[in-house]
Amino acid sequence: MAGLLGIGGGLIAVPALLHILPSVGIPTEHLPHVAIATSLAAIILTSLSSARAHHKRENIPWQLFRSMLPGFVLGAICSGFISELIEASFLQQIFAVFVILMAVQMAFPFRPSTNSSMPSTMSLFLAAVAIAIIAGLMGIGGGVLLIPFLTWCGLQMRYAIGFSSATGLLIALFGSIGYTLAGWNVATLPEGTIGFIYLPALVGIATTSILIAPLGAKAATNWPTAKLKKIFAVFLAFVGLKLVLT
């Protein structure tokens, strides 16, 4: 689905992990934290090939990193510690609302009007912090937030997507570090966890994603993706509502 529809894999992985992880002994009070942290860690591995491909095509405007990289690092690391301060049930509700909003965005895409100039360095830094915190709290790479922001700032779409692929890798990396440190001393987690990251699920998601995502990307050239996006948006809305009511 991520390769076919161009969505963040975390929108699929996190709800699936919320359903599966209780069966392997993840306690309820840390279930959303482990699901989100594991999704972020998987993004590190699955986004490497995408970032490398965009770099080869010269789609990544590296000059933007000067203003936004410190913000991405700060926000991503903080996300793990912020999540620890949020009660598990409330964190799951926040994620559920986010999923519903992404379903609406997928069904009725927001097309930002372009602005002719980039914001100031401080504005870019603050935007990077906010995007990284939200992405880290939701277990996604951040492209669904970063790409509309950059295109609104006047950046061409191919550069916005390329930049998002590289920053998604960084957000996932530093977000995973934050979740690892935040969950390091949690005694109730089962074996196989490093901080809040559950390693068996990480290996399963990463290996299958690396193998299958290219098939989805290839199918995108032949399948009716516009119609599939609307169908999948309905599915995501149901997933979000189920999480709200759980």
Side-chain angles (χ1 to χ4, degrees), residues 133-145:
I133 288 175
I134 296 170
L137 287 174
M138 298 300 102
I140 61 173
V144 294
L145 303 170

Side-chain angles (χ1 to χ4, degrees), residues 32-57:
H33 306 88
V34 175
I36 290 168
T38 305
S39 171
L40 274 179
I43 291 171
I44 298 173
L45 301 175
T46 57
S47 62
L48 275 171
S49 60
S50 174
R52 185 170 58 184
H54 279 291
H55 173 65
K56 286 182 178 178
R57 292 179 174 85

Side-chain angles (χ1 to χ4, degrees), residues 195-243:
F196 283 126
I197 299 171
Y198 184 58
L199 295 179
L202 169 61
V203 172
I205 292 171
T207 53
T208 52
S209 296
I210 290 169
L211 292 172
I212 301 300
L215 299 180
K218 184 177 180 180
T221 60
N222 301 314
W223 291 16
T225 53
K227 185 180 293 184
L228 286 172
K229 276 194 175 185
K230 287 183 168 52
I231 295 171
F232 192 71
V234 174
F235 168 74
L236 274 184
F238 277 115
V239 169
L241 289 172
K242 184 178 185 302
L243 291 174

Side-chain angles (χ1 to χ4, degrees), residues 21-32:
L21 288 177
S23 65
V24 296
I26 302 298
T28 303
E29 65 268 23
H30 295 302
L31 179 59

Side-chain angles (χ1 to χ4, degrees), residues 117-201:
S117 61
M118 277 285 171
S120 66
T121 299
M122 179 55 68
S123 297
L124 289 172
F125 169 78
L126 293 174
V129 172
I131 289 170
I133 288 175
I134 296 170
L137 287 174
M138 298 300 102
I140 61 173
V144 294
L145 303 170
L146 183 60
I147 292 172
F149 171 73
L150 290 176
T151 53
W152 176 81
C153 291
L155 197 66
Q156 291 182 31
M157 179 60 75
R158 75 184 186 100
Y159 293 127
I161 293 173
F163 188 73
S164 175
S165 72
T167 55
L169 174 61
L170 292 173
I171 289 172
L173 174 61
F174 288 100
S176 296
I177 292 172
Y179 276 94
T180 299
L181 296 175
W184 192 262
N185 293 319
V186 177
T188 55
L189 295 173
E191 290 186 9
T193 55
I194 296 181
F196 283 126
I197 299 171
Y198 184 58
L199 295 179

